Amino acid sequence: MSVTIDIKGLPAERISVVPSPLAELGMALHALSEPGHHPELQGWVTAVSSRLDPCLADRLCEADFLWRTTFSDVFAPFAGLPGRRGLPGGTLAEELDLLDKLTDEQFVDAALEFTCHSHYSQQSTGPLGDPELRRRALDLAAARGVVQERFARRLLEDPPAVRAWFRQLVLDCDQAFFADTWARLQPQLAADARHKTELLRHKGPAEALASLSGAVSLDEQAALITIDKLLVGRGTTADGGLVLVPTSLGWPHVMVLHRYGWQPVITYPAKATRPKAPTVEQLTLRMEALAHPTRLRLCRHLARAPHSTSELADAHGMSAPEISRHLAVLKKAGLITSCRHGRYVQHQLDLAAVSRLGSDFIEGVLR
């Protein structure tokens, strides 16, 4: 499973790395609503939450589906502009002006993304023009509670009023906490963007894209970017561009905007210094390997000390070929290491790999 972006015919100069204050505000709102996703931000989340005005907190709850379970494309309005070559604004005010340039249909479709996901990569009239999508949007909003249903109904009945409400919400968040946060983060993000731009210029797109995250790669022959995620999606740059947006608040998420008709955007964690996380396929192999009771018992021995195949066979009352087959599964999953000592090959559990399995799983499902 992965998201792919077809970049056939895309010249390197149409790949841009640009920080986005509106996207970072969206990440900030997500971290405030889902602090469990971002344990490294616990101090920041606690500080902001403790001084948040109760009225503003209530207003944030009204529309939290824009940034909580999905990350709405309303936070990347430049991607929806005609020509598909827009860039983020330098300030939050500039980005809100870009948001005003989206049509009501674009804004509503993006705002209700969680209700119309099956149409995300396809041409669609959206819930404003399709009665069936409108009904489905209201049903799914209702499943999230009365507040969300009321907001979705307002959005469908009077988009301009809700757009004005959202703009004011963003400005109020900026005044309450985000202006200080952005002043601190913007220099870091600008430096990361300059570094990635230099990589693009001197090393080429493949190396620059690989530097975003271990989950991002480019098949230069096929002109296809692959982002390793637990979902399937397809996008294309066509005659537009590709924008890479660094975030300081977004790890472990790697966000991919691949909406039909919009410019593709990859939002990646800036300055990722963590060890490379396993791919979704590797994560699946590891969990399947540990799901077998015999292999779990083998892990018990291999965690204590190195053992040869014959020692394990004797301890478990199994033949050496049977043990070898189980060891091969564990080794393919990257959970054991093997080292030759004279005539014997000894196997040992890779405790570091196993200890990371929980955090790797969380990063994989949240990516």
Side-chain angles (χ1 to χ4, degrees), residues 19-176:
S20 164
L22 185 57
E24 197 69 355
L25 173 57
M27 289 294 184
L29 293 172
H30 172 74
L32 289 170
S33 62
E34 289 289 355
H37 292 190
H38 307 275
E40 296 178 346
L41 300 177
Q42 189 62 53
W44 177 83
V45 168
T46 301
V48 171
S49 299
S50 65
R51 67 173 190 265
L52 203 61
D53 178 75
C55 180
L56 178 57
D58 288 343
R59 289 160 61 206
L60 290 175
C61 289
E62 283 189 64
D64 70 352
F65 56 73
L66 293 175
W67 53 77
R68 191 165 193 163
T69 53
T70 57
F71 191 73
S72 172
D73 293 339
V74 299
F75 291 104
F78 63 90
L81 299 180
R84 305 207 300 176
R85 296 190 189 181
L87 295 176
T91 66
L92 199 57
E94 290 175 10
E95 295 223 85
L96 287 174
D97 290 342
L98 294 178
L99 185 63
D100 288 342
K101 293 181 180 181
L102 297 183
T103 65
D104 284 347
E105 288 76 12
Q106 285 179 303
F107 183 87
V108 171
D109 201 23
L112 295 178
E113 180 180 318
F114 75 95
T115 68
C116 307
H117 184 72
S118 59
H119 299 272
Y120 186 83
S121 300
Q122 306 168 12
Q123 189 171 14
S124 169
T125 55
L128 278 186
D130 186 327
E132 178 58 28
L133 284 180
R134 181 188 183 96
R135 183 197 61 77
R136 182 171 181 267
L138 289 172
D139 286 347
L140 291 174
R144 295 181 178 227
V146 175
V147 173
Q148 281 74 15
E149 181 187 15
R150 188 184 306 124
F151 183 88
R153 193 173 297 278
R154 284 170 50 210
L155 178 61
L156 289 166
E157 292 175 354
D158 192 357
V162 175
R163 295 180 68 164
W165 179 92
F166 179 73
R167 182 186 181 99
Q168 189 59 52
L169 179 71
V170 168
L171 293 174
D172 290 346
C173 287
D174 188 48
Q175 183 177 7

Side-chain angles (χ1 to χ4, degrees), residues 6-11 14 81-86 236-242 261-264:
D6 185 339
I7 61 168
K8 288 185 181 69
L10 178 71
R14 290 217 305 267
L81 299 180
R84 305 207 300 176
R85 296 190 189 181
T236 178
T237 55
D239 58 351
L242 171 68
W262 289 44
Q263 178 177 206

Side-chain angles (χ1 to χ4, degrees), residues 292-320:
H292 197 287
T294 298
R295 290 195 282 273
L296 273 181
R297 289 195 296 270
L298 287 174
C299 286
R300 181 173 180 271
H301 276 82
L302 297 173
R304 296 179 175 187
H307 287 79
S308 67
T309 303
S310 56
E311 287 177 309
L312 293 168
D314 183 66
H316 289 268
M318 300 171 67
S319 68

